[in-house]
Amino acid sequence: MAYTKRFDGRKFDESRKMEAKVGVVKNADGSAMFRFGDTIAIAVVYGPKQMHPQHMQDPKRGLLRCNYDMLSFSVPERKRPGPNRRSQEIGKVTEWALSSVVDLESYPNTVVDVHIMILQANASTRCAGINAASMALASAGISMKELVSAVSIGKIDDKIVVDLIKEEEDYEDGEGATDMPMAFTKSGEITLLQLDGRIRPEELKEAVKIGKKACKEIYELQKKALRKMEEK
Amino acid sequence: MNEEKSMNEENKREIGIPGEIIVKGSDYLPGEGTRRNGEEILATKFGLIDISGRLVKIIPLSGIYMPRPGNVVIGRVLDANFSGWMMDINAPYSSFLPVVECPRFIKGDLTEFLAIGDMVVCKVDNVKPKGVDLTIKLRGLGKLENGMIIFINSNKVPRVIGREGSMIKMIKDETKCDVVVGQNGVIWISGSNVEDELKAKEAIIFVVEKSFVEGLTEKVKEWFDGRKK
């Protein structure tokens, strides 16, 4: 049976209902929430602040530290709290996706801490996290080149789809499922591209093209959320 | 909704978002929070767009305080060692007040002059990559003896001071309080009684909350007149 209709009835190039909000945590220097349907991520930014331990200080540039954490109630089966191999990897990948746009040279010897918390997870958590973190960094008044938007593109059987959900990630019929989280800057540069599964080169090109289009939509939403913050 | 409506009436400024084009054309000069990319001037910070003449800049609305030489700040003494005092000025760098800044001779312990926890008005003398040097050798600088301290967002300090000090002068005159505004967002208020001090504090919080409104000085004047009745 080929994959002709998505589990939740969306079109193949349609993402879930998105929501973005800036300034959700009052005590932080910057904060934002981003949601893809059931996936909710909150990002909190502290800093630039003095770097500790001191031997990690860099007199040429600041450091960006991302911490990704899935809360224990975010998934159907309780997740053991605390960092694990997966969260460490996603934190590192988020750091790489964002550090190319943050102007760290203006903050020597300092560190910017980004904490991403997943309140509810249904696939694409790292994309929601990157989207939220990018807005939170901007709202913290940190100098950056542009915003970053991320989306997950998948190949389910032979169809390329936007914004996967858990059921699609676990699809096994036909050619199976391929999950590709990707992040783009506003100018269209790729800052994150991961691939979990198998895909043909020409399909990959197509997927990146579709991802870019989906990210444009996300970018508009991020912009709207930032503008709205000031109306408060 | 109601708030949104009143906002539109009050002549709001455009908001710049990192990576967005502010203006096109080579006539403009990129200022703080912006960069040039060919013909375009792009924002690099999140804040209000300010175009005055040819200069385009972004007035940031959030973010921590970054010390600059010449800034008058209010700091707290963290530690006293044999060569000076370590201060906390709400900046991401450690700041130091050397003992040579002390106007008189100190015998023995440095905490005799400035104890740990004291609030001091000081001026940023020098910003080095590893830290900030402070001075208290000018008039109006030195230890704060009484009064109250409030903390605001350091980006709102220019609003609290107002154009050529108009806002702060009015607050001082209306409340008969002595007010020192540090560039790092620490404000010291001292009056003859607590009621005056609290009034000054409320006025400053009002200014911070309404900081985006044009013609704010008149609004604060109205606010004070309203309170008198």
Side-chain angles (χ1 to χ4, degrees):
Chain A
M1 195 191 81
Y3 192 64
T4 50
K5 197 166 180 287
R6 292 182 78 168
F7 288 106
D8 48 4
R10 277 180 289 154
K11 279 182 233 144
F12 288 114
D13 62 345
E14 190 184 343
S15 49
R16 282 173 282 178
K17 195 179 179 300
M18 293 181 286
E19 194 190 337
K21 224 187 230 168
V22 178
V24 288
V25 181
K26 283 277 169 299
N27 282 343
D29 292 323
S31 62
M33 183 277 277
F34 194 91
R35 116 187 245 170
F36 279 121
D38 294 337
T39 303
I40 308 175
I42 283 184
V44 179
V45 173
Y46 291 97
K49 57 187 183 181
Q50 217 173 354
M51 177 61 157
H52 284 294
Q54 268 194 359
H55 69 84
M56 277 172 80
Q57 282 185 1
D58 188 340
K60 281 204 184 115
R61 59 208 328 271
L63 193 81
L64 187 71
R65 256 192 323 208
C66 292
N67 177 19
Y68 167 99
D69 193 12
M70 236 156 92
L71 301 180
S72 47
F73 52 81
S74 63
V75 273
E77 190 93 354
R78 180 187 142 91
K79 183 210 164 248
R80 213 175 93 94
N84 54 31
R85 208 217 94 253
R86 178 178 172 272
S87 75
Q88 276 179 33
E89 182 203 307
I90 296 179
K92 203 76 201 162
V93 155
T94 309
E95 209 174 284
W96 290 334
L98 294 168
S99 58
S100 62
V101 295
V102 181
D103 178 23
L104 291 165
E105 271 88 2
S106 353
Y107 307 106
N109 281 324
T110 60
V111 61
V112 178
D113 267 334
V114 181
H115 300 279
I116 298 164
M117 255 139 237
I118 307 297
L119 300 191
Q120 201 172 299
N122 186 358
S124 318
T125 53
R126 71 192 73 186
C127 299
I130 290 170
N131 288 335
S134 147
M135 288 190 290
L137 280 168
S139 77
I142 289 163
S143 168
M144 54 202 287
K145 280 198 209 94
E146 46 204 343
L147 293 180
V148 176
S149 320
V151 73
S152 70
I153 303 294
K155 199 192 78 159
I156 313 297
D157 194 4
D158 57 348
K159 293 278 192 317
I160 292 176
V161 297
V162 173
D163 190 16
L164 300 181
I165 55 171
K166 191 84 189 106
E167 285 106 310
E168 287 175 321
E169 270 186 358
D170 298 337
Y171 191 83
E172 275 174 352
D173 293 348
E175 290 179 24
T178 305
D179 177 21
M180 275 178 290
M182 45 181 89
F184 295 89
T185 65
K186 188 229 167 190
S187 51
E189 278 162 48
I190 299 171
T191 61
L192 166 77
L193 183 64
Q194 286 183 302
L195 193 146
D196 179 13
R198 278 183 294 178
I199 194 162
R200 285 178 206 90
E202 56 276 16
E203 281 172 332
L204 177 68
K205 277 182 195 151
E206 179 67 19
V208 170
K209 221 162 102 192
I210 291 171
K212 211 176 215 172
K213 213 181 116 209
C215 279
K216 269 214 178 97
E217 203 182 309
I218 295 165
Y219 178 67
E220 291 304 318
L221 189 73
Q222 286 175 313
K223 241 168 47 177
K224 216 171 110 194
L226 280 168
R227 291 228 164 94
K228 210 165 184 179
M229 181 213 178
E230 272 329 298
E231 282 178 11
K232 265 183 227 156
Chain B
M1 270 324 275
N2 209 353
E3 224 174 27
E4 220 172 56
K5 210 176 164 190
S6 66
M7 286 292 309
N8 290 335
E9 288 162 13
E10 279 160 353
N11 199 357
K12 218 171 94 241
R13 276 198 259 194
E14 280 286 305
I15 288 166
I17 287 163
E20 282 290 288
I21 299 163
I22 304 173
V23 282
K24 275 186 187 169
S26 42
D27 303 346
Y28 292 103
L29 296 167
E32 206 176 318
T34 61
R35 70 187 164 103
R36 176 177 285 287
N37 183 17
E39 282 280 279
E40 300 149 349
I41 290 182
L42 306 168
T44 59
K45 267 190 182 165
F46 171 61
L48 300 173
I49 296 168
D50 180 63
I51 304 174
S52 48
R54 294 175 64 200
L55 187 72
V56 181
K57 65 172 183 183
I58 294 257
I59 304 167
L61 298 156
S62 49
I64 45 104
Y65 167 69
M66 275 294 188
R68 295 238 179 109
N71 282 171
V72 172
V73 296
I74 298 177
R76 188 166 50 91
V77 179
L78 286 179
D79 191 15
N81 53 33
F82 54 87
S83 59
W85 296 270
M86 292 304 295
M87 306 281 288
D88 173 19
I89 57 162
N90 277 356
Y93 302 104
S94 57
S95 39
F96 185 69
L97 179 66
V99 74
V100 287
E101 298 291 337
C102 179
R104 61 184 172 85
F105 176 70
I106 310 170
K107 205 166 79 184
D109 197 8
L110 253 63
T111 52
E112 187 193 307
F113 180 62
L114 291 174
I116 291 167
D118 281 353
M119 302 300 285
V120 186
V121 185
C122 30
K123 195 170 177 178
V124 178
D125 193 25
N126 195 0
V127 180
K128 288 183 284 189
K130 271 268 165 173
V132 177
D133 280 341
L134 302 169
T135 174
I136 50 165
K137 263 187 179 163
L138 289 155
R139 221 179 121 245
L141 306 182
K143 186 177 160 186
L144 295 168
E145 293 291 354
N146 43 32
M148 67 162 83
I149 294 280
I150 61 168
F151 297 89
I152 62 161
N153 182 343
S154 65
N155 296 290
K156 311 284 188 189
V157 165
R159 289 296 144 100
V160 174
I161 292 171
R163 194 157 287 153
E164 281 154 18
S166 58
M167 184 74 77
I168 196 68
K169 192 166 173 291
M170 189 168 74
I171 293 171
K172 277 182 186 170
D173 291 347
E174 290 281 343
T175 61
K176 295 177 192 68
C177 282
D178 203 2
V179 183
V180 174
V181 184
Q183 290 291 325
N184 56 346
V186 184
I187 300 176
W188 174 75
I189 308 166
S190 172
S192 50
N193 57 57
V194 182
E195 284 74 37
D196 284 348
E197 288 179 354
L198 286 173
K199 199 173 166 192
K201 179 186 170 183
E202 273 174 51
I204 289 164
I205 290 168
F206 178 80
V207 172
V208 170
E209 277 173 1
K210 301 272 177 198
S211 58
F212 43 78
V213 178
E214 303 264 337
L216 186 57
T217 323
E218 282 81 64
K219 284 252 157 53
V220 178
K221 185 102 199 152
E222 278 169 31
W223 184 84
F224 273 123
D225 291 345
R227 295 271 310 226
K228 265 177 209 157
K229 277 164 209 162

